[in-house]
């Protein structure tokens, strides 16, 4: 065999070996980078949690914003069941309202992906309440059926899901008897004061 052919074959084998090695190293670096980028939200959450941490115990009930010394709450949970956790932060806005913001990792960026607010200081309860394998967001909101201002006190329990980076109402339960609302309307028509 001619020495130039042998050197040419050895050169091709060496070049192919280097190309394969570089390809494997690039894939390894890409996996490491993706792992770092996916862990970034939890690192951000841990830092934010230290800032927002309060001395009180975690409470699975609705979080009463008005009764708390620390009105900020945060939680890290897979809210939309995509296998990646989101940072959920709630805080008071205005005199009686509560806001809920969801931050997530999208397109290699950690950013605000959804938000909602309610007209009460009730806050939000976030967990799989009905054990159906999906996370629900539950709060107390001014009743739509009552069509009365916040101060009248008629509330609904409202259930949401966070799907496609948006809050979807899935259930609404009146927290009052229909006869209570009927009596209020009758008393208002008759000009009676409500106690």
């Amino acid at each position: 065999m001619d020495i130039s052919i042998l050197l040419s074959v050895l050169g091709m084998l060496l070049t192919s070996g280097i190309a394969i090695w570089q390809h494997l190293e690039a894939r390894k670096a890409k996996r490491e980078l993706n792992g770092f980028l996916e862990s970034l939200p939890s690192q951000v959450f841990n830092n934010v949690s230290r800032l927002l941490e309060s001395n009180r115990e975690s409470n699975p009930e609705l979080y009463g914003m008005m009764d708390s010394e620390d009105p900020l709450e945060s939680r890290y949970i897979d809210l939309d069941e995509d296998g990646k956790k989101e940072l959920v932060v709630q805080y008071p806005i205005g005199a009686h309202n509560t806001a809920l913001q969801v931050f997530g990792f999208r397109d290699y960026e950690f950013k605000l992906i959804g938000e909602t607010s309610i007209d009460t200081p009730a806050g939000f309860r976030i967990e799989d309440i009905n054990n159906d394998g999906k996370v629900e967001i539950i709060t107390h909101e001014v009743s739509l059926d009552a069509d009365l201002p916040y101060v009248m006190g008629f509330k609904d329990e409202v259930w949401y899901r966070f799907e496609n980076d948006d809050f979807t109402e899935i259930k609404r339960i009146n927290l009052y008897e229909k006869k209570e609302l009927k009596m209020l309307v009758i008393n208002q028509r008759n000009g009676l004061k409500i106690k």
Side-chain angles (χ1 to χ4, degrees), residues 118-179:
I118 55 173
D119 295 330
T120 70
F124 299 88
R125 182 176 173 190
I126 302 170
E127 62 184 88
D128 181 4
I129 302 295
N130 58 4
N131 297 315
D132 65 352
K134 296 182 179 184
V135 175
E136 289 86 26
I137 301 127
I138 299 177
T139 190
H140 289 181
E141 176 62 285
V142 173
S143 177
L144 297 176
D145 292 341
D147 195 27
L148 294 167
Y150 169 77
V151 293
M152 300 306 280
F154 288 94
K155 307 285 185 292
D156 292 339
E157 181 175 278
V158 185
W159 293 35
Y160 294 97
R161 285 226 173 87
F162 190 70
E163 302 170 322
N164 301 316
D165 295 345
D166 197 17
F167 291 89
T168 303
E169 185 177 317
I170 59 169
K171 187 177 193 179
R172 184 175 283 265
I173 305 164
N174 296 125
L175 297 178
Y176 56 91
E177 300 280 330
K178 295 288 185 182
K179 63 183 178 185

Side-chain angles (χ1 to χ4, degrees), residues 173-187:
I173 305 164
N174 296 125
L175 297 178
Y176 56 91
E177 300 280 330
K178 295 288 185 182
K179 63 183 178 185
E180 292 176 286
L181 181 59
K182 187 176 179 181
M183 282 304 289
L184 176 69
V185 171
I186 290 170
N187 288 338

Side-chain angles (χ1 to χ4, degrees), residues 52-75 88-93 96-100 118-127 129 137-141 150 157:
L52 300 179
E53 193 172 305
S54 67
N55 292 330
R56 67 182 178 81
E57 294 292 319
S58 177
N59 185 353
E61 298 302 320
L62 288 174
Y63 176 67
M65 291 285 186
M66 292 179 75
D67 299 329
S68 175
E69 293 177 16
D70 184 2
L72 299 173
E73 281 290 308
S74 63
R75 187 158 179 208
V88 181
V89 179
Q90 67 175 330
Y91 56 92
I93 53 174
H96 301 289
N97 303 358
T98 306
L100 183 69
I118 55 173
D119 295 330
T120 70
F124 299 88
R125 182 176 173 190
I126 302 170
E127 62 184 88
I129 302 295
I137 301 127
I138 299 177
T139 190
H140 289 181
E141 176 62 285
Y150 169 77
E157 181 175 278

Side-chain angles (χ1 to χ4, degrees), residues 99-113:
L100 183 69
Q101 293 186 322
V102 180
F103 297 86
F105 190 64
R106 302 290 189 269
D107 302 320
Y108 299 103
E109 288 185 44
F110 188 71
K111 57 186 174 182
L112 176 66
I113 58 173

